[in-house]
Every structure is written in structure tokens, then in C-alpha cells.
Amino acid sequence: MTSLGRIGRLARGSARAGLVLVAIAGIGRADATERRSDPVPKSLGPVTRRVVATETREKPGTILISTAARTLDFVVAPGKVARYSIGVAKDGFVWTGTVRVGGKAEWPEWRPPAEMRQRDPRLPEMMPAGPYNPLGARAIYLFKGQRDTLYRIHGTNDAPSIGGFVSSGCFRMTNADVLKLYGEVHIGAKVIVE
């Protein structure tokens, strides 16, 4: 199946499906249109998920992120995790702590935080869903108590960035991987970032 067919199929039924198709057709926002010379991703990226044995006292449904190893472990059973390769924060943006999944979104639009826009004034106020959106196919929102941390576990349309130190604090997965994790993780799940 072509990437356009896959993206259209995944977006069907989503309130943002129209935005996905507009972005793909190149008739979206002016800032997205300027990037038409960039290649549209041809796939959802590789599947990096593998089930491995590990020692953890965390209960199934917990997410364990290792910035140093650039892995995300989703506890699937006592002593077993689904391990994914991820992209993590660049030097100066690394953080640690325990948070919770406070929300989830399919084909999210992206609104760069004010601090990010100050660092790079070229960033738009909002980027619609689609193949040029940095959040990819799914986003999992990380909260501390009732407060949105503005950090996400999200897909990416830049699969070669997986395994690198590439973000401003978010955790990137291939779209293929984030689609799988998104279906398994629940609102309220504990996320431990080390």
C-alpha cells in the first residue's frame, strides 16, 4: 500500500482527516506549502518493537524511558517489556522524573510552545496534522499532576532521527511504533524517565 493510502486509511474516522489530506495535497498553510520540495515519507518507518526479559518491579502498563540508552520500555508482564528505539532530547533539554499519561491524540496538530518559538521564530503558531507535522501519527501527552508538561511521546515522519539526541524534551518513535504503543497505553499510566 502506498504511503498516501496508509495515511488516508489511518486518518479515516479522525476529526482531523481533512487536515491530513489538505497537508498531503499541498494546499494547507503557507509555511507547510513552502516545504513541498521535501519528500513525503514513503512509509510509517521501521518497527523497532521487541519483547525482552528485564528486571522491573513496575506493573504492566508502565512506561520506562532511558534517555542514555534511547529506549522506551512498555511493561507487558512481570519481567517482560516491549522495547522500542526512540529519539530523545538534545543536550541541554534532557529531563528526568515520574509523570503520567494525561491525554492521547490521533493525527495531532502541533502548537510549538512559546519558548520553542522564541528560539526559532520561523516556527508556526500551529501546524496541521499530516506528513510534515513533527508529532507524526499519534501523540501521548505527559502530565505532572493535573498540569501538562508540554512533553510528548509521539510519532515522527523523520524515521532516521530515531536513536538520536534530537528533540527539545519529547520522545520520538517511528509512526509504526507509536501506533502500536498508542493502542496499548492507557490514560493515567505511569511514565518513568531516567
Side-chain angles (χ1 to χ4, degrees):
M1 177 179 289
T2 67
S3 63
L4 295 180
R6 279 183 140 161
I7 290 171
R9 188 189 68 188
L10 291 169
R12 246 180 250 130
S14 167
R16 295 187 176 92
L19 290 175
V20 172
L21 299 177
V22 166
I24 290 170
I27 55 176
R29 293 175 50 91
D31 47 66
T33 305
E34 292 171 11
R35 297 164 45 127
R36 288 305 100 180
S37 62
D38 294 346
V40 173
K42 301 290 188 240
S43 76
L44 295 174
V47 173
T48 70
R49 182 184 195 270
R50 62 192 190 285
V51 176
V52 298
T54 190
E55 289 186 28
T56 181
R57 295 176 187 201
E58 298 299 330
K59 66 180 184 176
T62 302
I63 294 174
L64 310 168
I65 295 174
S66 170
T67 300
R70 296 178 308 282
T71 58
L72 180 151
D73 289 351
F74 180 70
V75 182
V76 293
K80 283 191 180 176
V81 298
R83 179 163 291 163
Y84 298 90
S85 294
I86 60 172
V88 298
K90 299 179 267 194
D91 196 27
F93 293 94
V94 174
W95 62 277
T96 60
T98 300
V99 293
R100 299 232 174 239
V101 172
K104 296 168 38 170
E106 297 182 12
W107 291 104
E109 58 190 31
W110 180 51
R111 295 182 185 274
E115 299 82 17
M116 188 178 285
R117 292 181 62 224
Q118 285 174 348
R119 288 192 304 271
D120 186 353
R122 297 171 299 157
L123 290 174
E125 286 185 36
M126 189 277 291
M127 182 175 277
Y132 299 105
N133 186 310
L135 298 185
R138 300 289 184 271
I140 299 167
Y141 300 88
L142 304 179
F143 279 58
K144 185 75 170 179
Q146 299 300 312
R147 187 179 60 83
D148 185 351
T149 65
L150 301 181
Y151 297 120
R152 317 284 184 239
I153 297 168
H154 63 80
T156 184
N157 298 307
D158 182 16
S161 71
I162 299 304
F165 296 94
V166 292
S167 78
S168 295
C170 290
F171 304 100
R172 294 184 188 177
M173 305 178 77
T174 67
N175 280 327
D177 283 344
V178 81
L179 286 165
K180 176 73 172 163
L181 180 65
Y182 183 93
E184 295 178 333
V185 72
H186 298 290
I187 302 294
K190 187 196 296 190
V191 180
I192 301 171
V193 180
E194 300 176 338

